[in-house]
Amino acid sequence: MAEASKAYSIFSLVRNSLNYHQNWQRAWRNPQPKQDYEVVIVGGGGHGLATAYYLAKECGIRDVAVVEKGWLGGGNTGRNTTIVRSNYLWDESAALYEHAMKLWEGLSNELNYNVMFSQRGLLHLAHSVHDMQEIGRRGNAIYLNGIDSEFVTPQQVKEMVPFINLECRYPIHGALLQKRGGTARHDAVAWGYARAADNLGVDIIQNCEVTGFQIEENTVKGVETTRGRIGAKKVGCVVAGHCSILAEMAGFRLPIESFPLQALVSEPVKPILDCVVMSGAIHAYISQSDKGELVIGAGSDSYTSYSQRGGFDVIEHTVGPILELYPIFSRLKMLRQWGGVVDVTVDRSPLISKTPVNNLFFNCGWGTGGFKATPGSGHVFAHSIKSGDMHPIADPFSINRFNTGALIDEGAAAAVAH
Amino acid sequence: MLLIRCPWCGFRDQSEFQAQGEAHITRPEDPYQLDEEQWGQYLFFRKNPKGVHYERWVHVHGCRRWFNVVRNTMTDDILATYRPEEPIPVLSDEETNQPT
């Protein structure tokens, strides 16, 4: 991918260290927008940048602009808890998230950028007979789809996480383990895709907010932005938190509501937790970053909001169970807490779809768990934009499913928290 | 956390309530006359505005009655609460134009 002179390698590291790291090249350009592009991608988060990268790399479309209202990866890409897994119940979801997982497994090499993808294993705890039945059903469905998943006993959980409290208010009856699951560095994913896309000729235009669409005869012709009009033959909207706003600009509605979702990180401590532990039943997700911080994901608030702030009760409902499960963490101080806006569909599956406007495509509605899908989402969306027909993996995620009734109900399947 | 005025009980903590989504969506008179598109619109498609939102809440850990709330989704300021049978409050520009 990268030109030999620009590629990161042990040699470039040695060469630049001799210069006290003062001569590293910029990771991507900062171009002025052109008047017209073949494809404009709205949204410079992980999914949007991945879309642009695969358009340039695999679809032969290099006349691409990514317009971003803030800075790269400054939205939900930089706010999530970095968990990657593909243990979903339904075939459609399994195909999508496993497609992403396979791309994750070679991503650092492909992008010549260390995305710090770590397949450290992911435990999904079961706290009741119902939870055991749920992981039994889902684990077997995942297994039938050829994706790794194992049932583990409370004793095996204890071996993986020695300080876990098995006999607490939320007793652990068992767990579902995906060994290939884990974490990745979220910022690096955005930066790696941005650098690789830029290298292939994609213009990444930051501080450029879309304020409207130019639509003639029900066909999109370009976008209006705070930096002027940008023409495009095709437009792909890959936004989180504001897809309903963009849809309204284009004149249609989405089956989406936007909710606050919060996360928090502790002060950094020495390595103690070397896998991801999640519990859908009590909305407690925890892993340890390479910096040593414990990264904790909470549930979403019950009311819609764009305030990027959630209620304190939600934090309490997350931290309480975490301290029940891991009493050892009771003295840790929390360093930061933040909220993001997540676009949630009724069936908790994303929209990767054509829209009522010709040549305008939407990839949104990833709800509380889009980060894990970043490479796969960008890949299938790029191929869909290129051909004009949805990629077979993306096809079931059409907006139209809310009219036909062919929902992909991961909400009821409880594979995800919400 | 929000402080919400239940039209029956007065101001109570948000933890007593549940949000139940967009208000004033009327069930179609005769669902059998609708096509897939119209039925889907009724069931799933929402305004989801950034700004003034008319929504339903239920006082689930209190009087268990339903009511409507007008809230600014950018600031979470609650602009009005009213009973289901009461008319939709008309808010002045000043009231709805909350600082962001």
Side-chain angles (χ1 to χ4, degrees):
Chain A
M1 56 136 280
E3 295 164 39
S5 63
K6 284 186 175 177
Y8 295 147
S9 68
I10 184 72
F11 304 110
S12 69
L13 189 62
V14 170
R15 192 168 61 241
N16 281 285
S17 64
L18 295 176
N19 294 327
Y20 299 97
H21 297 290
Q22 290 180 10
N23 294 329
W24 283 105
Q25 71 276 12
R26 288 181 71 100
W28 52 83
R29 298 165 295 129
N30 189 20
Q32 288 297 316
K34 293 195 292 179
Q35 275 207 326
D36 288 288
Y37 289 91
E38 196 162 338
V39 177
V40 166
I41 301 295
V42 182
H47 291 237
L49 293 163
T51 306
Y53 169 73
Y54 291 113
L55 274 172
K57 178 79 191 308
E58 295 190 6
C59 302
I61 304 178
R62 297 189 173 197
D63 188 23
V64 178
V66 178
V67 296
E68 162 59 45
K69 73 174 173 181
W71 62 92
L72 293 191
N76 287 0
T77 299
R79 291 168 192 263
N80 64 75
T81 50
T82 78
I83 295 169
V84 175
R85 60 187 178 89
S86 61
N87 53 357
Y88 280 75
L89 174 70
W90 298 106
D91 294 353
E92 297 87 347
S93 314
L96 178 61
Y97 293 102
E98 181 62 12
H99 183 56
M101 180 66 87
K102 286 181 178 145
L103 290 169
W104 277 115
E105 286 171 339
L107 196 60
S108 289
N109 273 336
E110 160 128 20
L111 298 179
N112 178 232
Y113 202 99
N114 185 4
V115 298
M116 296 167 70
F117 180 50
S118 160
Q119 293 179 297
R120 59 185 63 183
L122 179 142
L123 280 169
H124 183 115
L125 302 178
H127 303 284
S128 62
V129 172
H130 173 82
D131 279 1
M132 289 298 284
Q133 289 166 344
E134 190 275 320
I135 66 168
R137 178 190 183 208
R138 181 155 55 90
N140 283 310
I142 296 163
Y143 185 73
L144 287 174
N145 275 317
I147 300 168
D148 72 306
S149 80
E150 295 170 33
F151 299 107
V152 293
T153 63
Q155 285 67 39
Q156 288 171 300
V157 172
K158 188 86 180 166
E159 279 165 28
M160 290 179 70
V161 188
F163 51 89
I164 201 165
N165 184 7
L166 294 180
E167 299 298 330
C168 62
R169 183 174 167 191
Y170 313 101
I172 294 166
H173 291 220
L176 194 59
L177 169 65
Q178 185 176 25
K179 283 187 174 164
R180 288 159 71 235
T183 59
R185 171 100 167 95
H186 49 4
D187 294 325
V189 176
W191 298 335
Y193 272 121
R195 175 170 167 273
D198 176 87
N199 229 315
L200 293 169
V202 172
D203 280 357
I204 295 165
I205 301 158
Q206 301 179 68
N207 297 310
C208 181
E209 182 173 356
V210 168
T211 55
F213 293 93
Q214 193 192 4
I215 296 167
E216 290 168 14
E217 293 174 359
N218 202 34
T219 302
V220 72
K221 300 288 182 190
V223 291
E224 307 286 348
T225 76
T226 49
R227 292 174 68 174
R229 176 195 170 275
I230 304 174
K233 294 194 182 111
K234 292 177 180 175
V235 175
C237 289
V238 198
V239 296
H242 284 72
C243 59
S244 294
I245 314 294
L246 279 175
E248 195 186 348
M249 289 178 194
F252 55 90
R253 274 193 195 174
L254 293 174
I256 277 183
E257 291 183 299
S258 302
F259 297 89
L261 181 69
Q262 300 182 85
L264 46 160
V265 295
S266 74
E267 59 189 326
V269 290
K270 288 184 176 175
I272 182 166
L273 180 62
D274 64 356
C275 59
V276 180
V277 189
M278 55 187 285
S279 167
I282 52 178
H283 293 305
Y285 308 85
I286 191 161
S287 63
Q288 189 173 23
S289 75
D290 291 358
K291 279 189 286 186
E293 301 159 326
L294 292 172
V295 183
I296 297 169
S300 55
D301 281 84
S302 68
Y303 53 86
T304 65
S305 180
Y306 290 89
S307 64
Q308 296 194 329
R309 288 169 55 179
F312 190 75
D313 56 326
V314 175
I315 299 176
E316 200 177 355
H317 281 296
T318 299
V319 173
I322 280 187
L323 294 189
E324 270 290 307
L325 289 174
Y326 319 101
I328 196 173
F329 293 151
S330 65
R331 305 294 291 274
L332 272 182
K333 296 184 182 74
M334 289 299 143
L335 273 194
R336 298 191 302 282
Q337 168 271 334
W338 65 92
V341 186
V342 294
D343 293 333
V344 179
T345 57
V346 173
D347 63 359
R348 267 68 187 179
S349 289
L351 304 174
I352 313 173
S353 183
K354 296 180 191 178
T355 67
V357 179
N358 296 328
N359 293 345
L360 177 64
F361 302 82
F362 266 62
N363 179 356
C364 61
W366 289 89
T368 57
F371 176 72
K372 67 177 82 69
T374 305
S377 154
H379 188 262
V380 298
F381 197 50
H383 282 276
S384 303
I385 291 174
K386 155 81 175 170
S387 83
D389 283 316
M390 300 314 289
H391 185 283
I393 290 177
D395 198 43
F397 295 91
S398 157
I399 298 173
N400 199 30
R401 73 177 185 270
F402 292 93
N403 296 121
T404 62
L407 303 185
I408 304 162
D409 199 351
E410 292 294 348
V416 287
H418 30 79
Chain B
M1 295 216 14
L2 309 177
L3 190 61
I4 300 172
R5 189 187 72 88
C6 169
W8 287 278
C9 311
F11 284 98
R12 296 296 180 89
D13 190 278
Q14 179 206 322
S15 58
E16 294 186 13
F17 298 89
Q18 263 177 13
Q20 296 287 348
E22 188 178 324
H24 306 300
I25 298 171
T26 314
R27 186 181 166 86
E29 292 267 324
D30 187 358
Y32 293 103
Q33 293 304 311
L34 301 185
D35 59 22
E36 280 184 349
E37 181 131 343
Q38 293 164 320
W39 185 240
Q41 286 286 334
Y42 160 68
L43 280 182
F44 298 124
F45 288 72
R46 296 293 176 258
K47 286 182 193 158
N48 197 24
K50 186 176 183 175
V52 177
H53 189 222
Y54 292 79
E55 59 193 11
R56 300 189 307 165
W57 286 70
V58 58
H59 194 178
V60 65
H61 300 298
C63 64
R64 301 191 59 80
R65 280 188 275 200
W66 291 69
F67 59 99
N68 296 318
V69 173
V70 191
R71 186 172 53 90
N72 184 330
T73 59
M74 285 173 76
T75 60
D76 292 335
D77 283 326
I78 292 174
L79 309 174
T81 60
Y82 55 102
R83 298 180 184 190
E85 72 276 13
E86 287 176 337
I88 299 173
V90 180
L91 300 171
S92 67
D93 285 352
E94 204 170 88
E95 282 173 301
T96 56
N97 194 13
Q98 296 286 319
T100 56

